[in-house]
Amino acid sequence: MKTNYTLIGDVREKLKELPEKSIQMCVTSPPYYNLRDYDNQENQLGLEKTPEEFVANLVEVFAEVHRVLRDDGTLWLNLGDSYLKDKQLGFIPQKVAIALQEWGWILRQDIIWAKKNCMPESVKDRFTKSHEYIFLFSKQPKYFFNQVLEPVKKNTVKKRTIKGIGMRPDEIKKLKKGGIAGYTNNMRNKRSVWNMKTASYKEAHFAVFPPELAETCIKAGSNEKDIVLDCFMGSGTTAMVAQQHSRKWIGVELNPEYEKLI
């Protein structure tokens, strides 16, 4: 199958060109609801009249992603929230996640992307928003996943954990052999709050997620030579990171101007 290229056009149509069960994983960030016009492109998502219409369109897109994913594949979906009328928080990411669950996806985890360098906001009646969501979906209860570890400082494990309080008998048995549950050589299972800086690219729209975010998802969801899909490719961060880690990739992008950036 041809890889390392971008399909230009409406994602709802272009995904139909990909073979069934041909992709190992998808990591993507759709346009956020009612935030900006991406260069006046026809058929773009995010400018629907209602949140319900936006959610329905994303369900349609990810139904096709479900079709092209392998049975053990995963979807990593980054989505930020929007404010609606009367200054009401839309809860758009949660609505999308629930709609995808109802369609048939298995929602395995919600991850918080805590932005170290969030955009300032001129608001005085609430706190500045400094996080977005990443949802991990799978097609089946058992799926491919590489454990990702992160460093932990020495001697930071609480004494109650060392003593085995709140641990299962099998964990205590392992503990007595010299290990601490979840900790190996000053490394631990990565947490669900990811502290990462936003990325900027002067030639693209500013909603560019950082390479570190794509890297974490790609390492967890695939092996070398696997195919990674980004159905809202933008400037090509997912493709760049996939190629750096010896993965193949396929992108879909509505705006033909982004093809040269990718």
Side-chain angles (χ1 to χ4, degrees), residues 12 15 19 37 46 54 135 137 141 149 194 201 214 220 225 234 249:
R12 290 163 289 190
L15 283 174
D37 186 339
F54 174 70
F135 297 114
F137 292 95
L149 301 178
W194 298 357
Y201 187 46
K225 298 183 180 180
W249 58 270

Side-chain angles (χ1 to χ4, degrees), residues 150-187:
E150 63 183 11
V152 61
K153 293 181 180 179
K154 293 182 179 180
N155 303 320
T156 57
V157 183
K158 293 181 180 180
K159 291 182 179 180
R160 65 178 180 84
T161 304
I162 295 176
K163 293 178 180 179
I165 297 174
M167 299 174 68
R168 301 191 308 269
D170 62 313
E171 292 178 320
I172 296 174
K173 187 177 180 179
K174 291 179 181 178
L175 179 62
K176 290 179 178 179
K177 291 182 178 180
I180 298 174
Y183 292 80
T184 306
N185 297 325
N186 295 317
M187 300 293 286

Side-chain angles (χ1 to χ4, degrees), residues 6-7 31 59 64 73 89 108 125 144 153 163 172 201 206 226 238 251:
T6 304
L7 293 161
V59 169
E64 278 300 307
L89 186 63
R108 283 294 293 133
D125 58 353
F144 180 85
K153 293 181 180 179
K163 293 178 180 179
I172 296 174
Y201 187 46
F206 58 79
D226 284 340
T238 298

Side-chain angles (χ1 to χ4, degrees), residues 41-241:
Q41 294 296 311
E42 292 185 7
N43 300 321
Q44 64 177 296
L45 303 182
L47 296 181
E48 292 85 347
K49 293 181 180 180
T50 65
E52 291 74 19
E53 185 181 352
F54 174 70
V55 171
N57 282 336
L58 287 187
V59 169
E60 181 182 352
V61 170
F62 292 115
E64 278 300 307
V65 172
H66 192 280
R67 181 187 66 82
V68 303
L69 277 186
R70 293 167 55 95
D71 287 336
D72 65 347
T74 51
L75 163 63
W76 303 72
L77 172 61
N78 165 230
L79 195 59
D81 213 337
S82 309
Y83 281 88
L84 309 178
K85 295 180 179 179
D86 300 324
K87 303 168 75 172
Q88 178 122 253
L89 186 63
F91 252 39
I92 305 298
Q94 290 82 356
K95 290 176 179 177
V96 171
I98 291 170
L100 292 177
Q101 275 186 310
E102 292 175 345
W103 183 90
W105 284 96
I106 295 173
L107 178 56
R108 283 294 293 133
Q109 189 164 36
D110 62 327
I111 299 162
I112 301 297
W113 169 21
K115 300 179 181 180
K116 293 182 178 180
N117 57 338
C118 66
M119 292 289 291
E121 295 180 314
S122 58
V123 293
K124 296 182 179 180
D125 58 353
R126 63 172 174 82
F127 302 109
T128 297
K129 189 75 171 285
S130 63
H131 73 279
E132 292 184 9
Y133 298 92
I134 304 162
F135 297 114
L136 168 57
F137 292 95
S138 66
K139 294 178 68 172
Q140 298 181 351
K142 292 185 178 181
Y143 53 94
F144 180 85
F145 189 88
N146 286 319
Q147 186 182 28
V148 176
L149 301 178
E150 63 183 11
V152 61
K153 293 181 180 179
K154 293 182 179 180
N155 303 320
T156 57
V157 183
K158 293 181 180 180
K159 291 182 179 180
R160 65 178 180 84
T161 304
I162 295 176
K163 293 178 180 179
I165 297 174
M167 299 174 68
R168 301 191 308 269
D170 62 313
E171 292 178 320
I172 296 174
K173 187 177 180 179
K174 291 179 181 178
L175 179 62
K176 290 179 178 179
K177 291 182 178 180
I180 298 174
Y183 292 80
T184 306
N185 297 325
N186 295 317
M187 300 293 286
R188 68 181 185 183
N189 194 30
K190 188 169 181 63
R191 280 14 186 185
S192 61
V193 176
W194 298 357
N195 293 286
M196 300 176 180
K197 291 183 178 180
T198 59
S200 60
Y201 187 46
K202 64 180 181 179
E203 296 183 74
H205 60 74
F206 58 79
V208 179
F209 57 55
E212 183 184 0
L213 189 155
E215 180 183 51
T216 303
C217 299
I218 288 170
K219 283 184 174 180
S222 65
N223 281 331
E224 291 186 2
K225 298 183 180 180
D226 284 340
I227 302 175
V228 178
L229 170 69
D230 188 343
C231 51
F232 296 95
M233 182 63 91
S235 60
T237 300
T238 298
M240 178 188 72
V241 174

Side-chain angles (χ1 to χ4, degrees), residues 36-45 47 254-258:
R36 61 189 65 91
D37 186 339
Y38 291 99
D39 300 323
N40 299 306
Q41 294 296 311
E42 292 185 7
N43 300 321
Q44 64 177 296
L45 303 182
L47 296 181
L254 178 63
N255 189 344
E257 293 297 317
Y258 283 134

